[in-house]
Amino acid sequence: MPAIVDYSQPLATIMKESTIEVHNEVEHSEGAKLLLSGELPKEEYARFLMMLWYIYDTFERGLDRHSTHPVLEPTYNPALLRRTPSLAADISHILQVPESAWKTHPLHQELMSNTPDALTEYIERIQDLVNSEDPSPLLAHSYVRYLGDLSGGQNIRTTLSKAYGLSAEDGLSFYVFKELQTSKSASIGEMKRIKDWFRDGMNKGGKAAKEDMIVEMADEAKKVFLLNSGIFSSIRTAAPKRSILMDKSSTPLSEKSYPLSSVLSVIAAICIAHFLLVVGGFTGEKGYSKLLTAEEWVASLFTSN
């Protein structure tokens, strides 16, 4: 039975109480468990980050467009919160390509040619809000994404650091935030202060919203969790047969070619060796003893000097 929410409370409290059930469902989904286990293939994690990049790029550009909106302005702080650049940096590091080139990588091309329906639905929902008469529900997207990154995202960061050998500077910058007042990296304690600041901003923005919009934003927050559930479901649990992250300069053994002359030489050597073993009587148990004796004699020729 859905929880009964008192909509006269501060907006941050309303959002939290409205999403408890769906939050727990998404948190225990198979995709989320796989990400937290550290067992997700590195290539698939890069693909997951690419999906996140499109989500953040869409809604952060939407926040830029509506930065002076009374509901959105109190939590608008791109210098502190923007994630799109760090996602691009992490993707590039994992793929070992320049930041300007990751969209030309085969993994990204494959994502674009086989875009998950869940990603398309997520992007279209954000675009609808950005272009709507009242973009206030974008705050629900900020709430779910940013507070999630500042909370559970830090557990993911620890797991991925161990699983992939990544660091804050190399591959995990998405989970790193600056302090509120400085450019230093925020500690866990500072991240709590950021979350408190964000909730205060939400409450301030909530006061500027119409009463029916409060309910709409709470409903939107639940939708955001469901949209994220779709993204988790789009994670491929089985690793591709051949990794796209493989160094292009290296050729798998099965794909290497050899000159015909070399192949014929090897075959001839095998035939001659077989002939000598049979003619010389080096077959069977007695033959094996003779072979060892011959081996020792040959070795003595090289060690007698």
Side-chain angles (χ1 to χ4, degrees):
M1 180 178 178
I4 298 176
V5 180
D6 178 5
Y7 289 99
S8 66
Q9 300 177 95
L11 182 57
T13 304
I14 294 172
M15 290 271 200
K16 181 177 180 179
E17 293 184 359
S18 299
T19 58
I20 289 176
E21 186 175 343
V22 68
H23 186 178
N24 289 334
E25 290 177 5
V26 175
E27 194 174 39
H28 294 91
S29 66
E30 290 305 311
K33 288 180 181 178
L34 188 61
L35 189 61
L36 280 166
S37 71
E39 297 176 359
L40 189 68
K42 195 173 184 179
E43 175 179 319
E44 188 59 19
Y45 176 62
R47 178 176 172 273
F48 172 70
L49 290 183
M50 288 177 182
M51 290 192 283
L52 289 187
W53 186 91
Y54 280 99
I55 292 167
Y56 278 88
D57 180 61
T58 305
F59 102 81
E60 288 182 338
R61 284 189 289 108
L63 292 177
D64 291 342
R65 177 175 165 181
H66 298 289
S67 60
T68 58
H69 189 281
V71 174
L72 302 174
E73 188 275 333
T75 56
Y76 179 72
N77 189 337
L80 178 68
L81 299 173
R82 194 183 299 278
R83 300 290 91 193
T84 307
S86 58
L87 280 165
D90 290 349
I91 294 168
S92 300
H93 176 79
I94 293 172
L95 299 181
Q96 292 296 288
V97 297
E99 285 189 37
S100 60
W102 68 267
K103 287 187 178 181
T104 64
H105 193 279
L107 185 62
H108 179 262
Q109 294 175 347
E110 189 271 336
L111 177 65
M112 291 296 96
S113 62
N114 297 284
T115 305
D117 292 340
L119 178 58
T120 300
E121 181 184 2
Y122 204 146
I123 298 301
E124 289 180 348
R125 178 55 187 166
I126 296 171
Q127 291 173 335
D128 287 344
L129 293 176
V130 172
N131 297 322
S132 66
E133 186 176 338
D134 189 347
S136 296
L138 282 174
L139 182 57
H141 288 258
S142 294
Y143 165 74
V144 175
R145 292 247 55 107
Y146 290 139
L147 289 193
D149 298 335
L150 286 159
S151 300
Q154 300 310 306
N155 295 328
I156 296 175
R157 171 185 175 181
T158 300
T159 298
L160 299 181
S161 176
K162 296 177 181 178
Y164 305 139
L166 302 175
S167 66
E169 297 78 18
D170 298 315
L172 292 176
S173 62
F174 171 65
Y175 303 99
V176 178
F177 287 81
K178 304 291 186 184
E179 292 184 348
L180 273 170
Q181 304 298 330
T182 74
S183 60
K184 296 179 181 178
S185 295
S187 62
I188 295 299
E190 180 66 17
M191 288 186 192
K192 182 181 182 305
R193 284 187 282 275
I194 295 173
K195 289 187 285 185
D196 290 341
W197 165 83
F198 190 90
R199 293 189 186 98
D200 288 342
M202 287 179 64
N203 294 337
K204 183 178 179 180
K207 293 177 180 178
K210 299 177 181 178
E211 187 174 343
D212 60 338
M213 182 52 68
I214 296 293
V215 178
E216 190 172 331
M217 285 192 285
D219 288 341
E220 185 67 24
K222 288 184 278 189
K223 290 179 184 176
V224 179
F225 274 106
L226 293 175
L227 289 169
N228 277 289
S229 178
I231 297 299
F232 281 133
S233 297
S234 300
I235 293 176
R236 300 175 298 195
T237 55
K241 293 182 180 179
R242 182 187 174 202
S243 175
I244 299 177
L245 295 184
M246 181 184 291
D247 182 359
K248 296 178 182 177
S249 64
S250 64
T251 305
L253 184 60
S254 61
E255 296 182 11
K256 287 186 176 180
S257 60
Y258 299 88
L260 179 60
S261 59
S262 297
V263 175
L264 292 175
S265 298
V266 171
I267 294 174
I270 292 173
C271 292
I272 293 171
H274 180 264
F275 172 77
L276 291 176
L277 285 172
V278 174
V279 173
F282 294 115
T283 57
E285 292 184 5
K286 292 182 178 180
Y288 181 65
S289 298
K290 291 169 66 179
L291 180 62
L292 291 179
T293 302
E295 214 175 55
E296 292 174 0
W297 176 74
V298 171
S300 68
L301 294 178
F302 292 96
T303 58
S304 60
N305 293 330

